[in-house]
Amino acid sequence: MPVSPAHADTATPRLQVQRLTKRFGALVANDAVSLTVMPGELHCLLGENGAGKSTLSSCLYGLYRPDEGDIHVDGKEMRFASPADAIAAGIGMVHQHFVLVPTFTVLENIIVGTGSGWRLPAAEARPKIEAICRRLSLALDLDAEVGDLSVGQQQWVEIVKALYLGARLLILDEPTAVLTPQESALLFASLRNMLADGLSIILISHKMNEVMQADRVTVLRRGHVVGSVRTAESSRHELTTMMVGRALSAIEAGERSHDGTTILSVKNVSMRDERGVSLLSDVSLDFHAGEILGLAGIAGNGQRELFEAICGLRPIDAGEIMLEGQSLNHRNPHEIYRMGVGHVPEDRFKDGLVPDFSIAENLVLGDHREKPWRQGLVLATGRLREAADEAIRNFSIACNGAEAIVRRLSGGNAQKVILARELARASRVLLCNQPTRGLDVGVIEYVHRQILEKRDAGAAILLASEELEDLIALCDRIAVIFRGEILAVLPGRQADIAEIGRLMAGGTDMQAGDQDGDRNGARNGDRGMSN
Amino acid sequence: MAITAVMGYRIERRSTRSPFAWALALVLAGACALLVCAGLFIAAGADPWQAFAALLKGGLGSKRAIAETMVKATPLILTGLACTIAFRARLWNIGAEGQVFAGAMFAYWCQSALGDAPAPVQIAMIVIGALIGGALLGGLAGILKARFQVDEVISTVMLNYIIVYALSLLLQNGPWTEAGSFFEQTAMVPDAAQLPVILAKTRLHLGFLFALVAAAVVHVMLLRSSLGYEIRAAGSNLRALEFQGVKITRLIIVVMAISGAVAGLAGAFEVYGVQHRLKSGTLGGLGYTGIIIAILGQLRPIGVVAAALVFGVLLNGATLMQIKSGVPSALIYAVEAIILMFFLIAWAASEFRLRRLHHVE
């Protein structure tokens, strides 16, 4: 692995960006951004969506060309025409969405594009890659097909690939978004090793517990650098305030107000896919009025299936789902929504919205044949617009009005459109699957408040989230799901994150620093861990 | 994102399509299409100026020429609308071709049972029969897709062949064959069943007005009705519609049936407005051209009417072009294809822009 002899005390920064400006038409995505990263430094880029983090990293990786400003790597001025130039200059990048070929082996994925002529330098590359893995004490099977690896392992392939290509500066774009708390801890432990070797790392993140592990944090807001501080001399509160531009008050869930009546009950529900693989097995959960039930689990362990079963989107093979004494089995989603169930689906643009429709049209999606919205054969456009104007006011959706096309909205505003629609429906039950994924801190706070308001109004709420801290702050009880099974239901506010993390991984004991944990685990797209 | 950079310029994707760039691209595409067509005419041994002039004169040169252009445009408006309805829902109905035949045949079957009924009854029966015939064939492809996951492209193309040969069967010494005729055609339909001519001394018939009404109805249906809402939603994100419990299978069948019904009208209007008898040869190609019309019309009913009229000029002018300049009139189909290709290139190109780089290496 490439080891730079220089260390943090040397005068030459690994990366120096001076007054970099990048415009897209009228939009200034980066406005005179300056950034200095020393060798061996873990430098965090913090900012809300649209603050300019991705644009900056794309400029550093040669995907965009800056309009003004310059980039120095190890003291030499660089002009990247393409990622190939950036890689040659020692910059590596691990994207949030991996760019791997699933049908290639690990080795092939790492060396693809490196050979000259027709031949891949597989034989020469193998010992070098093995050396990198040894240095990171990483047990990566170079001959395994990447499609068979867990998401955590795929991320390691990306990192090893960047190191193999000679990266001295590694850009990691939200690397823990797909990892369990344990996998994240392992990642950070290994990052520390790499830093000790003189590698510089730019970490793009908005998770405060990760941000605080960096040596230095540069905060971006609306394309400007708000400040660059040493984490040792700062605090979470200060950084959040810098990022959002105002102080956020911590969410106080307060005491639940429910009387304990069960509104929705899921009894012994099982579901299999077409090939007979179990997706949900014997799931039983009760949902009480005025209570938030959290659902913790690694993505792909049956959360989506549970939501879809309750909404009637997927048939169940066994068991029963009852809403205040009425069976929901064999009812179609529209009927179920009409019974007072709101559903904020996991993927807002794919499941929840029609991107080419206006806000007004999206707000009546599903109810477009129902009374107030329909006049005879045509839609009551006037009423649609009035309702949309009201929702835009109530939910402070930033847009050009009721006719604004949803495709152009930011993730947060798009989610507000879904919330406006689903909260109106959810007189009894509100189902939220990852309602804050990818949203800005300010919007997350807003979504949480809306959910709490609904709870206080007496609805039963199911909330699935990858942010365990949020679940603990908001939920009265937390159910942990693993491979379609509910392993435990824990009391919410006293829950221990480590305990939830352990259960999310299947309940096996894992000691901190057990570095084989995430590698020997999952097979064949199974993202859980087992060892 | 950068695609490529040449001599200090780079091609970038636009975040929003600019109307100016689109207009510019269209003008450039039109000029290119004219150049390529001119080359084609020269290759055919003709003077391109003379050929173009004859083409325009034949299509627009007189009241009669214009009326005949409208006659040619009538079925294309309807097949273009049929494709528009289906394509808006992302249902690739390639079967307008067959649905034209089905509409004509079902209308003929219904109308021929009427005997001496008065004209309004005959015409009402023709319209209803055409709608039902087209809807049956389109709906069949819809059922195959919704219930058995048969790809609609495959099924509609297959059904096109089946219906065309079924008509041949009926016309070749079959029950519909004109007594004593050698041709694959029926006897002339009674005068009362012929669509009235709406402009004296031309062939312009009532069907043209019906086609315009159909365009208006489809426009309102797509933009204002609950069904149109579902069609547009299905075209943008079928999954979101499914998540709301909308019955997708029903929607697919309904959309295919409506699409087929509109195409069916084209067939019946050709039979009762122009040919006045059912022949196998004259209905061919209307449905396939409808696909081009729908795309050129940008899947909008108003655009479809405009594109159909332009194609009407080409088809109608081609005859005079052949007489005056010797360019074979069949070459007009190549002209149609050239127009389509440059139009698509313009559409794609207007999504990009050329940007001068600030750094000069």
Side-chain angles (χ1 to χ4, degrees):
Chain A
M1 101 163 259
V3 174
S4 162
H7 261 250
D9 51 335
T10 43
T12 320
R14 171 62 38 82
L15 173 76
Q16 189 157 31
V17 176
Q18 279 163 337
R19 302 194 59 78
L20 183 147
T21 298
K22 175 71 190 172
R23 297 185 196 90
F24 296 100
L27 178 83
V28 186
N30 282 162
D31 191 356
V33 168
S34 296
L35 176 74
T36 304
V37 183
M38 302 305 289
E41 184 179 74
L42 177 57
H43 195 113
C44 180
L45 276 185
L46 178 65
E48 296 196 295
N49 295 325
K53 295 169 298 186
S54 305
T55 306
L56 179 57
S57 54
S58 295
C59 287
L60 295 178
Y61 196 55
L63 288 167
Y64 295 150
R65 284 203 211 183
D67 296 318
E68 286 159 36
D70 44 45
I71 300 170
H72 287 80
V73 177
D74 290 324
K76 267 171 50 188
E77 186 172 356
M78 296 289 168
R79 294 223 184 278
F80 300 139
S82 73
D85 292 352
I87 291 167
I91 294 177
M93 182 157 176
V94 177
H95 298 268
Q96 206 172 353
H97 305 283
F98 306 146
V99 278
L100 297 168
V101 186
T103 52
F104 278 15
T105 66
V106 172
L107 182 74
E108 286 166 341
N109 264 291
I110 291 173
I111 61 176
V112 70
T114 59
S116 53
W118 294 99
R119 211 177 54 85
L120 276 176
E124 299 92 307
R126 185 179 288 273
K128 287 187 203 163
I129 295 168
E130 280 169 350
I132 294 171
C133 291
R134 259 199 309 282
R135 180 68 194 89
L136 298 171
S137 30
L138 194 66
L140 203 57
D141 178 2
L142 297 188
D143 299 312
E145 267 189 29
V146 160
D148 293 340
L149 300 182
S150 72
V151 181
Q153 289 172 307
Q154 293 189 12
Q155 187 163 64
W156 276 115
V157 176
E158 288 274 20
I159 293 173
V160 170
K161 177 173 181 172
L163 296 178
Y164 172 74
L165 294 173
R168 284 168 291 144
L169 173 73
L170 192 60
I171 304 170
L172 301 175
D173 189 0
E174 304 209 8
T176 60
V178 292
L179 304 182
T180 63
Q182 279 81 0
E183 284 178 311
S184 305
L186 288 173
L187 174 70
F188 272 87
S190 303
L191 291 185
R192 280 283 153 213
N193 285 341
M194 296 185 230
L195 294 167
D197 289 336
L199 187 82
S200 302
I201 297 174
I202 292 179
L203 173 74
I204 299 173
S205 179
H206 56 251
K207 292 187 185 171
M208 290 311 293
N209 57 337
E210 291 166 11
V211 173
M212 295 311 288
Q213 292 186 50
D215 300 308
R216 185 173 269 281
V217 180
T218 294
V219 185
L220 290 172
R221 192 168 75 228
R222 290 183 194 155
H224 293 269
V225 172
V226 185
S228 186
V229 293
R230 297 195 67 82
T231 35
E233 296 155 11
S234 185
S235 67
R236 283 178 180 227
H237 183 73
E238 186 193 356
L239 290 173
T240 315
T241 309
M242 281 167 79
M243 169 169 67
V244 185
R246 65 185 163 94
L248 286 182
S249 49
I251 285 268
E252 265 306 321
E255 276 314 298
R256 61 185 180 192
S257 51
H258 76 93
D259 50 5
T261 45
T262 300
I263 291 189
L264 179 74
S265 77
V266 173
K267 279 187 213 139
N268 309 104
V269 165
S270 295
M271 185 195 283
R272 294 179 176 283
D273 71 5
E274 308 82 52
R275 292 169 300 163
V277 177
S278 173
L279 299 170
L280 290 177
S281 58
D282 204 24
V283 170
S284 293
L285 287 169
D286 278 334
F287 300 74
H288 304 131
E291 183 195 59
I292 302 178
L293 176 63
L295 187 64
I298 302 163
N301 272 285
Q303 295 95 319
R304 188 187 185 93
E305 287 74 14
L306 179 58
F307 278 88
E308 296 190 1
I310 297 173
C311 296
L313 286 160
R314 272 182 96 136
I316 55 177
D317 295 316
E320 184 151 51
I321 300 171
M322 306 278 285
L323 178 66
E324 291 188 332
Q326 286 176 287
S327 173
L328 297 187
N329 295 21
H330 311 299
R331 282 186 197 261
N332 85 38
H334 186 62
E335 288 170 358
I336 292 172
Y337 297 142
R338 300 282 296 164
M339 292 166 78
V341 177
H343 178 205
V344 178
E346 181 178 16
D347 191 324
R348 59 190 74 102
F349 280 107
K350 273 193 192 143
D351 305 336
L353 294 168
V354 177
D356 293 326
F357 271 15
S358 67
I359 292 177
E361 285 174 313
N362 267 293
L363 283 171
V364 297
L365 188 66
D367 296 328
H368 55 274
R369 286 183 182 272
E370 303 296 337
K371 249 299 139 194
W373 312 123
R374 196 168 58 88
Q375 271 176 333
L377 284 172
V378 297
L379 289 167
T381 19
R383 245 172 259 155
L384 241 67
R385 189 167 308 134
E386 279 167 33
D389 286 336
E390 198 185 320
I392 290 167
R393 263 197 314 278
N394 291 347
F395 286 80
S396 37
I397 300 169
C399 63
N400 299 329
E403 299 303 316
I405 299 301
V406 161
R407 182 189 293 287
R408 305 232 171 87
L409 296 184
S410 70
N413 285 310
Q415 188 73 323
K416 284 178 177 178
V417 174
I418 295 181
L419 275 178
R421 185 179 71 214
E422 301 300 332
L423 286 174
R425 279 181 188 159
S427 57
R428 291 164 163 180
V429 177
L430 177 63
L431 307 164
C432 298
N433 194 359
Q434 310 292 351
T436 56
R437 182 187 279 164
L439 300 186
D440 294 334
V441 189
V443 183
I444 290 175
E445 183 199 19
Y446 182 84
V447 172
H448 287 163
R449 285 196 193 290
Q450 293 289 332
I451 293 173
L452 283 171
E453 253 176 53
K454 204 73 206 175
R455 180 201 71 168
D456 293 339
I461 294 167
L462 176 63
L463 171 65
S465 177
E466 278 154 10
E467 308 294 334
L468 296 183
E469 291 174 19
D470 290 348
L471 284 185
I472 290 170
L474 292 169
C475 297
D476 302 292
R477 292 181 298 147
I478 297 173
V480 186
I481 193 166
F482 175 73
R483 294 193 186 163
E485 256 183 272
I486 301 292
L487 292 191
V489 181
L490 310 166
R493 284 185 249 303
Q494 298 87 43
D496 173 22
I497 271 206
E499 171 67 4
I500 297 175
R502 193 183 66 81
L503 289 165
M504 280 165 67
T508 38
D509 278 316
M510 290 204 5
Q511 290 139 18
D514 173 4
Q515 302 220 340
D516 292 335
D518 64 330
R519 274 157 243 134
N520 299 338
R523 311 161 303 270
N524 295 326
D526 160 21
R527 290 162 186 188
M529 295 193 294
S530 62
N531 54 330
Chain B
M1 190 178 294
I3 306 294
T4 175
V6 181
M7 295 174 65
Y9 283 89
R10 182 166 41 159
I11 299 167
E12 279 184 351
R13 189 177 277 272
R14 290 171 184 274
S15 49
T16 53
R17 196 184 290 275
S18 106
F20 173 73
W22 173 223
L24 182 70
L26 268 187
V27 169
L28 286 175
C32 292
L34 275 178
L35 274 177
V36 174
C37 289
L40 204 64
F41 293 161
I42 291 169
D47 172 3
W49 285 118
Q50 202 187 7
F52 282 127
L55 190 60
L56 282 182
K57 186 153 184 270
L60 296 168
S62 63
K63 187 182 105 178
R64 264 194 63 184
I66 293 173
E68 191 60 22
T69 290
M70 289 171 172
V71 171
K72 291 272 195 284
T74 300
L76 299 182
I77 292 173
L78 290 163
T79 53
L81 289 173
C83 295
T84 295
I85 294 167
F87 292 178
R88 271 291 187 100
R90 288 208 185 205
L91 283 169
W92 307 118
N93 177 16
I94 311 298
E97 182 77 12
Q99 291 144 16
V100 166
F101 279 76
M105 289 160 69
F106 207 83
Y108 183 77
W109 186 59
C110 293
Q111 178 274 325
S112 55
L114 283 179
D116 290 336
V121 177
Q122 300 262 12
I123 289 166
M125 184 56 95
I126 290 161
V127 170
I128 293 167
L131 290 170
I132 294 175
L136 284 175
L137 198 66
L140 176 60
I143 291 170
L144 288 173
K145 180 179 177 70
R147 297 263 180 266
F148 306 105
Q149 283 83 48
V150 178
D151 188 282
E152 74 273 19
V153 174
I154 309 285
S155 66
T156 51
V157 169
M158 302 261 213
L159 287 170
N160 289 347
Y161 283 106
I162 291 172
I163 197 77
V164 168
Y165 287 112
L167 178 60
S168 274
L169 202 66
L170 288 168
L171 291 180
Q172 221 169 35
N173 303 317
W176 285 0
T177 317
E178 182 179 20
S181 168
F182 299 109
F183 301 108
E184 280 191 27
Q185 62 183 32
T186 64
M188 293 287 277
V189 297
D191 286 349
Q194 296 180 6
L195 295 179
V197 167
I198 54 172
L199 192 65
K201 291 181 197 161
T202 69
R203 294 204 297 170
L204 187 60
H205 56 83
L206 191 61
F208 180 71
L209 291 186
F210 280 167
L212 292 184
V213 170
V217 170
V218 170
H219 178 82
V220 173
M221 187 271 283
L222 280 175
L223 291 184
R224 293 290 312 276
S225 76
S226 311
L227 178 67
Y229 178 98
E230 285 175 9
I231 289 174
R232 288 180 293 125
S236 173
N237 186 1
L238 189 67
R239 210 176 146 73
L241 213 50
E242 217 172 347
F243 259 66
Q244 296 299 333
V246 174
K247 292 194 183 77
I248 301 299
T249 49
R250 209 202 63 165
L251 182 63
I252 289 171
I253 296 168
V254 167
V255 172
M256 288 297 287
I258 293 178
S259 174
V262 176
L265 283 180
F269 290 174
E270 273 303 281
V271 170
Y272 289 95
V274 182
Q275 308 297 336
H276 301 138
R277 58 168 26 127
L278 184 51
K279 294 198 271 191
S280 63
T282 52
L283 298 175
L286 296 176
Y288 291 130
T289 309
I291 297 171
I292 303 177
I293 298 288
I295 294 169
L296 289 178
Q298 302 234 287
L299 304 187
R300 293 191 186 106
I302 297 161
V304 162
V305 171
L309 286 170
V310 169
F311 269 42
V313 171
L314 296 179
L315 288 168
N316 188 27
T319 318
L320 193 65
M321 179 178 75
Q322 178 163 17
I323 296 167
K324 286 223 173 157
S325 66
V327 173
S329 66
L331 218 55
I332 212 67
Y333 297 111
V335 173
E336 287 179 2
I338 289 165
I339 291 174
L340 177 68
M341 276 195 297
F342 279 104
F343 178 87
L344 291 176
I345 292 169
W347 179 245
S350 66
E351 279 187 22
F352 293 90
R353 67 160 150 227
L354 212 55
R355 231 170 85 91
R356 194 180 174 153
L357 297 173
H358 291 267
H359 295 305
V360 182
E361 267 75 2

